[in-house]
């Protein structure tokens, strides 16, 4: 059934007879992603974009295709410097479009699969943290001269703290008693962070922190590495939008410095790893160093804390809303994710002086 569907969508981009088999890549929480093995290389990644979450899919595709072209041009010039890098290549439909919309309204896009690459859901080696830092730092660096006003804001207020608090407060009013009771401790803790979690947003709104082109979903599983653990390619570019450096720095730290997966239920395993923070920071600053202001640098630690928090509040809100946004694998999945993020913040707090130093 699924095979027939995927074959038929694939045939809008390439010859149907070239389709060999597929494998679902299930790590994302929003879109449906499949590796398509072919008879004649290359392999592809076929993706159905969730248009309930992304309201302007053509705008989203336009964003990621144009940023990819920009990155490719910049990297061609950089290639001599030695390190191997890849950029996502989007395949056009037979009609010359960057996406295919099926009769039921679903949007699909196809990318060339980058061979010999690996991803990590969690980090267990500071080399990966360092390489990740270079990769995401380079992304900011190379998009520095991309005109951000050309980008569609695919999810308005995506990392806006006030907006996330508003959604949380609405969820509190509508949630079931059962879920409110289960989450009561977490809810109180989230409320207590409100002021601190608005500090960076206020600096952004006052114009003191500069707007840049940001990726906005820099979890470590959105970086491809070579088999010998060198950074290779930034992927999942759906949420590229104007943003601030703290978004991309922070979301990477959220996943790199967590000693467990973001949904680990055993909170004893969830701790903030300082050596990985140092390694990521080193790689990141090697690529962005001169471009960052004193103020941007000063707020990197709080930026990391704020991004961990924003994912925590979003997971908790979705739990209160009976899981309408993120894909979940079992009833309390969003609750476990939220609790995990709050534990990570707690662990970060006990070491905050060291992190700031
Ligand atoms: C979602 O779908 P995925 O896994 O790439 C979410 C991110 C969260 C992430 C948490 C559009 O990303 O913001 O950080 O889950 N993307 C969207 O793992 O909401
Ligand atoms: Mg994503």
């Amino acid at each position: 059934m699924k095979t027939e569907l995927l074959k038929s969508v694939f045939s809008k981009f390439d010859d149907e007879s070239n389709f060999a088999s597929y494998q679902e890549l299930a790590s994302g929480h929003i879109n449906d992603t499949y590796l398509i093995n072919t008879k004649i290389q290359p392999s592809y990644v076929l993706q159905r974009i969730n248009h309930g979450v992304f309201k302007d899919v053509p705008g989203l595709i336009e964003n990621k295709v144009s940023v990819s072209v920009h990155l490719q041009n910049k990297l061609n010039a950089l290639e001599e410097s030695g390190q191997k890098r890849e950029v996502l290549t989007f395949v056009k439909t037979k009609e010359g479009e960057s996406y295919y919309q099926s009769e039921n309204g679903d949007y699909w896009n196809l990318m060339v699969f980058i061979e010999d690459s690996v991803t990590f859901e969690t980090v267990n080696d500071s080399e990966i943290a360092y390489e990740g830092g270079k990769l995401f730092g380079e992304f900011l660096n190379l998009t520095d001269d991309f005109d951000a006003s050309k980008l569609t804001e695919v999810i308005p207020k995506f990392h806006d703290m006030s907006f996330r608090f508003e959604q949380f407060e609405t969820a509190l009013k509508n949630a079931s008693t059962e879920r409110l009771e289960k989450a009561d401790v977490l809810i109180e803790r989230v409320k207590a962070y409100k002021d601190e979690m608005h500090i960076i947003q206020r600096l952004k709104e006052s114009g003191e922190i500069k707007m840049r082109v940001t990726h906005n979903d820099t979890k470590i599983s959105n970086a491809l590495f070579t088999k010998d653990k060198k950074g290779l390619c930034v992927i999942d570019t759906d949420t590229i939008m104007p943003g601030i450096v703290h978004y991309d720095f922070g979301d990477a730290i959220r996943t790199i410095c967590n000693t467990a997966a973001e949904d680990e239920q055993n909170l004893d395993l969830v701790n903030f790893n300082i050596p990985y923070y140092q390694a990521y920071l080193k790689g990141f600053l090697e690529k962005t160093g001169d471009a960052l202001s004193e103020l941007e640098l000063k707020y990197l630690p709080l930026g990391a804390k704020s991004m961990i928090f924003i994912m925590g509040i979003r997971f908790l809100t979705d739990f209160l809303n009976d899981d309408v946004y993120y894909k979940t694998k079992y009833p309390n999945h969003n609750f476990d994710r939220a609790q995990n993020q709050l534990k990570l913040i707690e662990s970060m707090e006990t070491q905050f002086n060291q992190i700031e130093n």
Side-chain angles (χ1 to χ4, degrees), residues 39-253:
K39 294 176 189 152
I40 303 169
Q41 294 289 316
S43 302
Y44 295 101
V45 174
L46 180 62
Q47 201 161 40
R48 173 168 39 201
I49 311 283
N50 180 331
H51 60 273
V53 166
F54 295 107
K55 308 288 183 209
D56 178 2
V57 179
L60 172 155
I61 305 268
E62 172 65 29
N63 277 0
K64 59 184 186 178
V65 171
S66 57
V67 169
S68 277
V69 169
H70 178 88
L71 289 173
Q72 190 63 66
N73 291 336
K74 304 278 290 211
L75 281 175
N76 290 345
L78 236 150
E79 201 85 301
E80 291 93 66
S81 73
Q83 184 135 23
K84 185 170 152 51
R85 291 277 195 251
E86 296 274 2
V87 177
L88 291 175
T89 309
F90 295 91
V91 179
K92 287 206 157 61
T93 64
K94 290 172 178 165
E95 294 184 345
E97 301 292 338
S98 298
Y99 62 89
Y100 162 66
Q101 185 172 25
S102 62
E103 269 159 29
N104 71 358
D106 282 351
Y107 290 91
W108 296 85
N109 74 140
L110 188 75
M111 290 157 276
V112 176
F113 175 71
I114 297 173
E115 299 289 341
D116 297 320
S117 58
V118 291
T119 54
F120 300 97
E121 293 292 326
T122 54
V123 171
N124 53 14
D125 178 344
S126 60
E127 178 72 9
I128 296 165
Y130 172 63
E131 284 290 322
K134 285 201 292 185
L135 199 58
F136 287 127
E138 191 178 86
F139 180 89
L140 284 190
N141 194 353
L142 296 180
T143 53
D144 200 40
D145 58 345
F146 186 97
D147 182 359
S149 71
K150 290 204 177 118
L151 292 173
T152 299
E153 208 181 347
V154 287
I155 301 183
K157 303 187 177 181
F158 190 50
H159 290 323
D160 183 298
M161 198 59 85
S162 312
F163 174 60
R164 296 304 181 187
F165 265 96
E166 277 162 32
Q167 290 183 315
F168 168 65
E169 280 149 18
T170 306
L172 286 178
K173 289 189 194 124
N174 301 326
S176 68
T177 319
E178 192 196 339
R179 291 209 170 198
L180 282 172
E181 275 170 13
K182 169 142 182 85
D184 59 356
V185 174
L186 274 190
I187 290 169
E188 289 316 310
R189 286 175 58 204
V190 162
K191 286 182 183 166
Y193 279 113
K194 193 166 181 177
D195 288 342
E196 186 188 3
M197 289 300 117
H198 277 81
I199 294 176
I200 291 195
Q201 172 154 341
R202 288 202 198 93
L203 291 167
K204 183 194 125 202
E205 284 165 354
S206 70
E208 286 168 88
I209 292 179
K210 179 185 160 178
M211 294 300 287
R212 304 170 173 280
V213 174
T214 47
H215 178 284
N216 298 305
D217 190 11
T218 53
K219 56 181 173 184
I220 193 62
S221 56
N222 281 337
L224 297 183
F225 292 82
T226 62
K227 287 179 176 154
D228 59 353
K229 298 179 183 169
K230 298 288 176 222
L232 183 62
C233 184
V234 171
I235 60 169
D236 186 10
T237 47
D238 292 347
T239 48
I240 289 177
M241 282 178 277
I244 56 176
V245 63
H246 305 89
Y247 299 163
D248 283 4
F249 179 80
D251 197 37
I253 291 298

Side-chain angles (χ1 to χ4, degrees), residues 28-30 54 158 217 219 236 254 262 311 314 325:
H29 299 358
I30 308 285
F54 295 107
F158 190 50
D217 190 11
K219 56 181 173 184
D236 186 10
R254 178 179 77 83
E262 77 178 4
M311 295 314 156
R314 288 176 62 199
Y325 185 86

